[in-house]
Amino acid sequence: MSSSQTYSRLTEEVLEQHRQIHFYLDQIVAAVNGLREDAEDTEPMRTLAAQIESFRERLVEHQHGEEHGGLFAALLEELPEARQEVSALRLDHQRMVEILELARLHAQHGQPGEAHDLKVDLEGFLGTMREHERAEESLLARAMALARS
Ligand SMILES: [Fe+2]
Ligand SMILES: [Fe+2]
């Protein structure tokens, strides 16, 4: 496979996984927005905790694929000058999993009145994740352009 084909395949895989991750994340955001602070029932919070946990597992799998399945290695091969950016992406991975873990604990043990705090945690996560994916996608585009030239 030529390196340009390799980058096309990687780009397709990464974009598809990012789409799937966003799909799950949208469902979580909708669930968080549906929480009522004046509710007595803690069940919706606990359900949300389970949703966050399964999302976290998916995300860890995605990140593992990026770190060990070829994306980061391919980026470094084509763009050795992007070493720092790739290291920053790796650090983001840890940070994103930590934020999600905090949000999960919050949902697992929180009372309905804490729904707002949980929203803030998840908004922070969303911001980090969007920036992270944008950075990955733009590095990939750069690498692909080079591989084609
Ligand atoms: Fe990533
Ligand atoms: Fe990613």
Side-chain angles (χ1 to χ4, degrees):
M1 208 187 277
S2 75
S3 69
S4 151
Q5 276 174 315
T6 305
Y7 284 102
S8 300
R9 184 182 53 78
L10 274 171
T11 303
E12 244 170 67
E13 269 175 27
V14 167
L15 292 182
E16 175 54 26
Q17 287 184 16
H18 285 177
R19 263 194 295 274
Q20 285 178 13
I21 285 174
H22 274 284
F23 176 76
Y24 284 98
L25 197 55
D26 286 345
Q27 290 178 324
I28 291 178
V29 170
V32 176
N33 287 331
L35 291 177
R36 289 187 37 214
E37 303 226 339
D38 58 354
E40 307 244 307
D41 185 9
T42 54
E43 197 49 39
M45 286 277 250
R46 307 301 177 252
T47 306
L48 182 65
Q51 251 178 306
I52 293 173
E53 177 56 15
S54 68
F55 176 74
R56 194 186 63 86
E57 285 167 11
R58 263 194 115 80
L59 185 70
V60 166
E61 205 178 301
H62 169 68
Q63 294 177 338
H64 188 269
E66 289 180 339
E67 291 181 22
H68 305 284
L71 174 67
F72 285 4
L75 289 177
L76 287 173
E77 195 182 312
E78 200 67 46
L79 303 167
E81 73 280 13
R83 183 161 294 278
Q84 279 195 349
E85 288 163 80
V86 173
S87 300
L89 290 173
R90 238 181 254 276
L91 283 178
D92 282 350
H93 282 178
Q94 280 176 20
R95 202 154 61 96
M96 284 155 70
V97 172
E98 283 166 14
I99 300 175
L100 272 185
E101 181 56 12
L102 284 179
R104 187 193 67 78
L105 285 170
H106 217 141
Q108 184 63 43
H109 304 289
Q111 296 304 311
E114 294 169 52
H116 176 75
D117 296 343
L118 190 55
K119 279 179 203 171
V120 172
D121 283 355
L122 283 168
E123 274 162 16
F125 175 80
L126 261 176
T128 307
M129 190 164 125
R130 287 213 179 95
E131 248 174 68
H132 176 85
E133 297 193 332
R134 221 173 284 143
E136 281 173 353
E137 290 170 14
S138 89
L139 277 177
L140 246 178
R142 261 166 66 193
M144 188 141 96
L146 276 178
R148 277 186 175 147
S149 61

